[in-house]
Amino acid sequence: KAGVTQTPRYLIKTRGQQVTLSCSPISGHRSVSWYQQTPGQGLQFLFEYFSETQRNKGNFPGRFSGRQFSNSRSEMNVSTLELGDSALYLCASSTGQVYTDTQYFGPGTRLTVL
Amino acid sequence: GNSVTQMEGPVTLSEEAFLTINCTYTATGYPSLFWYVQYPGEGLQLLLKATKADDKGSNKGFEATYRKETTSFHLEKGSVQVSDSAVYFCALSGGAGGTSYGKLTFGQGTILTVHP
């Protein structure tokens, strides 16, 4: 079974631009979660989508948004990029049936904001 | 809310040494506990998990036991290899009911370096 895939793997943007990241979950998984990883803040939860609905959300500004499609693929968008948005963005998928499900992670998208 | 605390790192060991990475947590209810490993330039890989008190998770020689009385989930390995060099994250899910869907709470990570 194929794992979680994320595209692109690397991105370089400038301040003020916007960016869209994509995540394809493991086949059969309906939940996709997004995390931001930085050296200073560690791994922080952004949001989770299940069956095209946002079910949970972390403490990030409204510039961070996401959506999920009917095939469970998910996208994350960051508008008006700031230097502090430079990070590794990880998505993870799970069945989403119980809140203690195991999450399986993709390789991440490395975003650099100049 | 939920929180996870890992021992301060980094940890440097010689090959075949015994490894312990401490992890304690704060959560209400009955969370599930996980150890993930991250190799340079990669995402997180699930190493092992435990879903209820006294469960022992194990994989690739690594073990951790879910201790509810001490709210701990320490990672151990009897004999480390150079290939075990990576960053290790302790994490929990659940423990706060409906607000926890899809959310893992992570410790700060412990960098392990194993020398030949």
Side-chain angles (χ1 to χ4, degrees), chain A residues 33 35 37 56 99-100 102-103, chain B residues 36 38 49 99 101-102 104:
Chain A
S33 299
Y35 297 85
Q37 184 178 23
N56 202 357
Y99 58 78
T100 53
T102 298
Q103 294 186 26
Chain B
Y36 283 88
Q38 186 175 36
K49 69 175 183 178
T99 63
Y101 277 107
L104 284 167

Side-chain angles (χ1 to χ4, degrees), chain A:
Chain A
K1 198 182 259 192
V4 178
T5 59
Q6 291 187 247
T7 56
R9 292 293 310 276
Y10 301 92
L11 268 177
I12 300 176
K13 294 286 187 178
T14 56
R15 279 182 299 174
Q17 287 187 311
Q18 74 166 17
V19 67
T20 300
L21 314 181
S22 181
C23 173
S24 293
I26 291 170
S27 178
H29 284 186
R30 294 165 63 190
S31 169
V32 174
S33 299
W34 288 89
Y35 297 85
Q36 181 194 65
Q37 184 178 23
T38 59
Q41 299 299 315
L43 282 151
Q44 294 186 287
F45 172 75
L46 282 153
F47 32 64
E48 185 250 8
Y49 286 85
F50 179 80
S51 293
E52 302 180 68
T53 300
Q54 187 182 85
R55 197 166 53 172
N56 202 357
K57 186 176 184 304
N59 296 322
F60 278 81
R63 299 185 297 106
F64 292 82
S65 63
R67 59 177 175 168
Q68 187 179 35
F69 303 95
S70 58
N71 61 357
S72 294
R73 190 178 69 85
S74 177
E75 288 182 348
M76 189 191 102
N77 185 274
V78 187
S79 62
T80 319
L81 284 166
E82 301 177 0
L83 295 178
D85 297 334
S86 294
L88 181 67
Y89 290 88
L90 295 163
C91 79
S93 76
S94 71
T95 64
Q97 298 301 312
V98 294
Y99 58 78
T100 53
D101 261 346
T102 298
Q103 294 186 26
Y104 297 91
F105 283 79
T109 294
R110 172 74 62 186
L111 172 64
T112 302
V113 182
L114 302 176

Side-chain angles (χ1 to χ4, degrees), chain B residues 15-32:
Chain B
E15 206 164 27
E16 299 184 4
F18 184 84
L19 168 70
T20 299
I21 301 177
N22 290 338
C23 171
T24 58
Y25 68 89
T26 301
T28 57
Y30 302 93
S32 288

Side-chain angles (χ1 to χ4, degrees), chain B residues 34-78:
Chain B
F34 306 85
W35 277 99
Y36 283 88
V37 58
Q38 186 175 36
Y39 298 98
E42 298 184 11
L44 276 67
Q45 296 178 24
L46 177 68
L47 183 58
L48 53 84
K49 69 175 183 178
T51 58
K52 61 183 186 296
D54 300 323
D55 265 2
K56 176 186 281 189
S58 62
N59 185 28
K60 300 180 181 178
F62 291 90
E63 293 183 340
T65 301
Y66 188 161
R67 302 286 189 200
K68 193 161 177 64
E69 64 275 14
T70 55
T71 62
S72 65
F73 192 54
H74 304 322
L75 182 68
E76 296 182 337
K77 187 176 185 183

